[in-house]
Every structure is written in C-alpha cells, then in structure tokens.
Amino acid sequence: MARRWVLRVVSLAAGLLLWQVLTASGVRLWLRFDQLPTAVEVAERFARQLTRAEFYGDLGSSLARIGLGFLLAAVVGTALGVVVARSRVLGDLVQPLLEVVRPIPAIALVPIAILLFPTDEQGIVFITFVAAFFPILVSTRHAVRALPTTWEDALRTMGGSRRQVLVRVVLPGALPGVFGGLSVGMGVAWICVISAEMISGRYGVGYRTWQAYTVVDYPGVVVGMVTIGLLGRVTAGVVELLGRRATRWLPGEARS
C-alpha cells in the first residue's frame, strides 16, 4: 500500500515538474507552452484563492448543485433501471423514449432548461440530473439483466416471493454494476454542471473560471480547472468508497 502511494505522489510530482519546466522555459514547438502560466504562478494564485470567502461560496454552490442533481439521478436512475430490466411491458413502454433522448448531450439541453425552469439554479440542477441519470440507468439495467437466473430460481424453489427476490437477489447482485454507473455518472455530472455554470450560472466554480478567462486571467483559469479536477476526484472517491463498503461481501476481484 505504501509503495502504491509513493508511486502516485511521484507521478503527480513529475507532471508538475514537467509543467514548470516547459512553461518557465517558454518552450514553443508545436504547442505554445510560453502562453501558459507556470505551476508556481498557479500555486501562488491558488493559495490566495484559499483566503477568499468568494472561493468557498463558489465551492458550496457547485457542490450543492452536484449533490442535489446527482442524488435525484441516483434514486430515479437506479429505480427505473431495475424496473426496465425486470418488466418486459414497462421496458417496451419506457425504453424507446429513453433511448431517443439518451444520445442528446445534457449540456445541449441548457436552452430547454432556461425555458422550462423559473430560475437558473433549478435549470443547472436539471442539467446535472440528466447528465448523471443515463449512465446510472444503463449500468443498472445491464447489471440486473446480467444476473444468473439460477439465483432467482433457487429462491423461488424455496418459496420466495417477488419482493424477496428483488430485495435478496436482484438488488444485492446488481450493486457492483450500480456503483459503476454511479461513479461514471458523477464524472459526467461534473462536466455538465461546470459547462452549465459557464453558460447560465451566476455563482460556482465554472462561472468563476469563465469570468477569469474573459478578463484574460490565465492563472485564475488554471486554478479553476485544478479546483474542478480536485472536486471531481474527491466526490468520485466518496462514491467508490461507498461502493466498496456496500459490496464487502464480494470477492476482491469482483468488488474492484
């Protein structure tokens, strides 16, 4: 375990060192590294941002949007994924509509969200919900359909009801796939919430990053990008941790 953490730290340090060397030296080959702020400049700006209340307000706004939109997507996507996979009739009714809507990028729905919802805040949460919803739905549906039929048959032969099959076989057996979808959904949700904040938001990390770009504050832009990356990694890590705890009964290979 210690060796793995050392390798991860070395990897990050090497990336930062390469960034500093290329930008501080003004390397200009096919890529123009002389146009980018150095790692030291970004670190200094990040340190200043940490002392400002505005920075934490933006963090809170983005996290609140992600939290609400993702939670709604997790509940609705998981429930609908199970229903579509378990009921042929409901699958035939619901799935065609979902498959038509699914290829539409969530960020392309921003104009619709602006028209539908009375406030920008509700529209951004809606975009976040849609972004996370489909990965969760599809992963849950595939996980439920992939369950061995012998598991259900075994419980049925012992007198198990449909409810018992759902609670004792379907949901536990599908958990690894469900959490895989949750992890992917979290990443997609961050991409879309940041984009939505840039387009129609008034607060948030995405909005502040775009504001920095409009005033040619490139260190501020990179600080925003780094902040987004850190927030995405932390939230995805929380989902993965919950997934490992919920599937502790599985063998290590299946759980990972």
Side-chain angles (χ1 to χ4, degrees), residues 168-179:
R168 297 186 180 183
V169 174
V170 175
L171 294 180
L175 272 181
V178 171
F179 274 98

Side-chain angles (χ1 to χ4, degrees), residues 46-219:
F46 193 79
R48 289 202 299 271
Q49 288 287 84
L50 291 175
T51 64
R52 297 178 179 176
E54 180 184 77
F55 177 74
Y56 296 99
D58 290 331
L59 288 184
S61 296
S62 294
L63 287 171
R65 292 160 176 165
I66 277 285
L68 181 55
F70 182 78
L71 180 61
L72 290 172
V75 173
V76 178
T78 302
L80 195 56
V82 172
V83 168
V84 168
R86 296 285 297 173
S87 173
R88 183 173 299 177
V89 174
L90 291 176
D92 290 338
L93 284 173
V94 176
Q95 195 163 326
L97 176 61
L98 295 175
E99 291 302 315
V100 170
V101 177
R102 184 161 67 95
I104 302 174
I107 197 62
L109 298 176
V110 168
I112 302 300
I114 293 173
L115 295 174
L116 279 176
F117 294 94
T119 67
D120 291 340
E121 192 70 23
Q122 294 171 346
I124 293 173
V125 171
F126 169 73
I127 295 299
T128 308
F129 164 79
V130 173
F133 170 75
F134 285 105
I136 297 170
L137 168 71
V138 172
S139 294
T140 302
R141 185 183 67 197
H142 287 317
V144 172
R145 288 179 176 173
L147 292 175
T149 56
T150 52
W151 294 3
E152 181 175 346
D153 293 340
L155 186 57
R156 290 283 194 185
T157 58
M158 293 186 289
S161 64
R162 291 177 61 88
R163 180 179 178 278
Q164 289 175 321
V165 169
L166 179 65
V167 173
R168 297 186 180 183
V169 174
V170 175
L171 294 180
L175 272 181
V178 171
F179 274 98
L182 291 172
S183 182
V184 174
M186 177 62 79
V188 179
W190 270 112
I191 293 171
C192 290
V193 75
I194 294 300
S195 301
E197 287 177 348
M198 289 181 174
I199 295 172
S200 63
R202 292 188 175 88
Y203 307 98
V205 179
Y207 170 79
R208 204 65 58 185
T209 301
W210 182 253
Q211 286 295 103
Y213 172 75
T214 59
V215 297
V216 200
D217 178 12
Y218 294 124

